[in-house]
C-alpha cells in the first residue's frame, strides 16, 4: 500500500449533506415517493455553506481520511457540459483536505443522477458507459493527483435492487431484464472509469463500495428458508465479489431471472474491495407468485434494533470481511455505522465493530482502512432526517453542529489502528 498508514476515516455523500438544486432524487421527493412522503432534502445538513468548518471537524475525530462524493447534477448540469465553477469548488474541497493531511476518497456515483441522464436512457442504455467515462475523466482532471482513492460506484447491487427491481428509489422500475442490463453497463462503466482515472492519476487506487449484509434463514428448520437465504446471499454479497475475482457475473434473482455475462478488464479495474456493512437480515420463503420470499430484521440478541430498524450484529461484520477476502484484493471498509439517538448505543457499536476489525487484522486480513458513516447527521435516502448517524449532531433548524461523545471514542479507537499500521504515534498528515 502506498499510503503509510491505516486509513481511519469518516464518510459522507454529497446529496445527503448538501442537497442539489435538481436531480432524480429531488424529483422523487416532489412525487412524494419517499417513505416519509412530505420530506424534502433541501440543503441537506447545510454542508455547502459550511464546508470549511465541517472539514475542520475531521481531524478533531482523529481521522486521517475522508470519503466524500461528487454530485453529478451539479458538476455536469447538461449532458457533456461541465460547470467550471462547480469543478473548482470540488477542487477547493479536496485541496483543503490534502493541506490538512487528510486523505480524500472520492465517490463518483452515490445513488443520485442528473435528470438528463434518465432522459438519455439511464443505465439500460449502453451510452451510459461512455457518458460515465467522460464524467470520471473530467472529475479526475479537475481534482488532480491529490485524490488517490476513488470509488466509482456506491452499492451498485443495492441501487439495482431498489431502483430497477423494487421500485423503491429512482428510476423506480421493477423489471429483472432492465436490472440485468443496467448491471452490465454499470460494471463496464466502472471498468472504463478506472482506466481514465488511472491515465490521469498514476498510482490511483480504484474500487466499488459494496454493501454486504449477513444472511440467516428466518426459520432454521426450514429448508426453503435456508435455500432462499443462500440465494439471497449470492445475489447480494457473493456475485459481485466473484465478478471482481473472475470478470464473470452470474446474477440470479429467485423467481425473476438470471443474468450471466463477462466484463473484460473488470478484475484489473479493482484495486480494492470497498465494504459497507450495517446489519443482518432474516429470509423467509413465501412462494407466492411474484414474491418468492421476504426479509426482515430481527433482534435475537436483544440489543435493541437501531433507529432505522436494523439489527446490531457485529458477528456479521466478521463474516462479511472474511467473505470479501475471496475477491483477492485489499479491503477498505468504506462504510459502517448506526442510526441512534442514544449515543451510548453508538459507542457500544463502535467498540464492538472495532474489536472485529482488530481481530481480522490480527488474523492477517488485508484490511487497509475503516470509514465510519457518518461524520454528521444527514438526509437518509428512504427515511429523511429522522435517523441520526453522525459523530456530530445537526440541529436542522439552525444547522448548528454539536459533537457527540462518540466522536471522542472514535478518535481514541483510531489511535490504536493508525499506530499499529506504521509504528508511530499518529499517521495523520504523513505522506
Ligand atoms: C448506505 C449508503 C449511505 C447511507 C447509509 C446509511 O447504504 O451508502 O449513503 O445512507 O447506507
Amino acid at each position: 500500500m502506498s499510503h503509510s498508514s491505516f486509513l481511519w476515516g469518516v464518510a459522507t455523500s454529497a446529496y445527503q449533506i448538501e442537497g442539489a438544486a435538481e436531480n432524480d432524487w429531488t424529483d422523487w421527493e416532489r412525487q412524494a415517493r419517499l417513505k416519509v412522503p412530505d420530506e424534502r432534502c433541501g440543503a441537506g445538513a447545510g454542508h455547502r455553506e459550511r464546508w470549511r468548518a465541517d472539514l475542520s471537524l475531521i481531524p478533531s475525530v482523529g481521522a486521517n481520511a475522508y470519503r466524500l462524493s461528487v454530485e453529478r447534477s451539479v458538476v455536469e448540469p447538461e449532458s457533456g457540459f461541465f460547470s467550471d465553477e462547480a469543478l473548482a469548488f470540488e477542487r477547493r474541497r479536496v485541496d483543503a483536505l490534502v493541506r490538512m493531511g487528510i486523505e480524500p476518497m472520492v465517490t463518483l456515483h452515490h445513488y443520485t443522477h442528473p435528470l438528463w441522464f434518465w432522459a438519455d436512457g439511464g443505465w439500460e442504455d449502453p451510452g451510459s458507459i461512455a457518458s460515465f467515462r467522460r464524467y470520471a475523466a473530467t472529475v479526475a482532471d479537475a481534482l488532480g493527483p491529490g485524490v488517490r482513492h476513488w470509488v466509482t460506484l456506491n452499492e451498485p447491487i443495492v441501487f439495482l435492487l431498489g431502483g430497477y427491481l423494487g421500485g423503491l428509489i429512482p428510476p423506480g422500475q421493477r423489471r429483472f431484464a432492465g436490472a440485468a442490463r443496467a448491471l452490465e453497463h454499470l460494471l463496464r462503466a466502472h471498468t472504463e472509469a478506472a482506466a481514465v482515472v488511472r491515465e490521469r492519476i498514476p498510482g490511483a487506487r480504484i474500487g466499488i463500495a459494496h454493501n454486504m449484509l449477513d444472511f440467516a434463514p428466518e426459520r432454521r428448520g426450514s429448508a426453503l428458508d435456508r435455500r432462499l437465504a443462500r440465494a439471497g446471499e449470492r445475489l447480494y454479497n457473493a456475485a459481485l465479489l466473484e465478478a471482481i475475482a473472475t470478470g464473470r457475473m452470474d446474477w440470479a434473482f429467485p423467481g425473476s431471472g438470471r443474468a450471466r455475462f463477462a466484463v473484460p478488464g473488470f478484475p484489473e479495474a479493482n484495486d480494492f474491495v470497498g465494504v459497507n456493512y450495517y446489519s443482518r437480515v432474516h429470509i423467509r420463503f413465501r412462494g407466492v407468485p411474484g414474491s418468492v420470499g421476504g426479509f426482515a430484521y430481527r433482534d435475537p440478541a436483544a440489543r435493541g434494533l437501531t433507529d432505522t430498524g436494523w439489527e446490531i450484529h457485529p458477528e456479521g461484520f466478521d463474516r462479511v470481511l472474511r467473505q470479501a477476502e475471496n475477491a483477492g484484493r485489499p479491503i477498505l471498509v468504506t462504510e459502517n455505522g448506526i442510526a441512534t439517538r442514544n449515543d451510548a448505543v453508538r459507542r457500544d457499536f463502535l467498540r464492538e465493530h472495532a474489536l472485529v476489525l482488530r481481530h481480522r487484522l490480527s488474523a492477517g486480513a488485508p484490511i487497509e482502512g475503516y470509514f465510519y458513516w457518518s461524520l454528521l447527521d444527514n438526509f437518509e435516502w428512504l427515511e429523511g432526517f429522522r435517523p441520526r448517524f453522525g459523530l456530530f449532531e445537526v440541529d436542522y433548524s439552525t444547522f448548528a453542529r454539536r459533537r457527540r461523545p462518540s466522536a471522542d471514542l472514535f478518535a481514541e479507537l483510531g489511535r490504536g489502528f493508525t499506530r499499529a499500521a506504521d509504528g508511530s504515534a499518529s499517521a495523520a498528515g504523513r505522506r
Side-chain angles (χ1 to χ4, degrees), residues 28-89:
W28 196 253
E29 292 161 17
R30 235 188 338 267
Q31 296 170 40
R33 296 181 73 176
L34 300 181
K35 263 202 214 160
V36 199
D38 49 1
E39 192 85 298
R40 300 284 180 274
C41 177
H47 171 73
R48 210 160 174 93
E49 301 280 303
R50 287 162 190 76
W51 68 272
R52 278 191 189 277
D54 284 345
L55 297 194
S56 74
L57 303 176
I58 298 167
S60 86
V61 301
N64 61 18
Y66 179 53
R67 177 170 172 230
L68 69 164
S69 79
V70 173
E71 170 59 34
R72 190 172 179 186
S73 67
V74 174
V75 303
E76 191 180 359
E78 288 167 42
S79 177
F81 167 79
F82 291 87
S83 156
D84 290 338
E85 196 192 321
L87 290 168
F89 173 82

Side-chain angles (χ1 to χ4, degrees), residues 12-13 16 67 110-111 154-155 158 211 276 278 308 310 335 373 378-381 389:
T12 58
S13 90
Q16 292 175 279
R67 177 170 172 230
H110 200 124
Y111 285 118
N154 183 68
E155 303 185 347
V158 181
N211 187 297
N276 294 358
Y278 289 91
T308 40
W310 303 344
E335 287 178 29
W373 182 274
N378 60 61
F379 176 84
E380 174 58 23
W381 302 107
F389 279 94

Side-chain angles (χ1 to χ4, degrees), residues 123 128-129 132 152-153 156-157 160 180-194 208 239-244 247-251 261-267 269-270:
W123 289 108
S128 58
I129 301 166
F132 193 73
T152 53
L153 308 172
I157 303 295
L160 292 168
R181 243 194 325 277
L183 174 59
E184 185 165 354
H185 296 155
L186 280 160
L187 300 190
R188 287 173 53 193
H190 164 83
T191 306
E192 301 212 359
I208 290 173
L240 183 64
L241 298 173
E242 241 172 68
I244 293 172
R248 284 186 304 278
M249 186 55 146
D250 182 352
W251 203 55
F261 54 86
V263 188
F266 186 64
N270 288 275

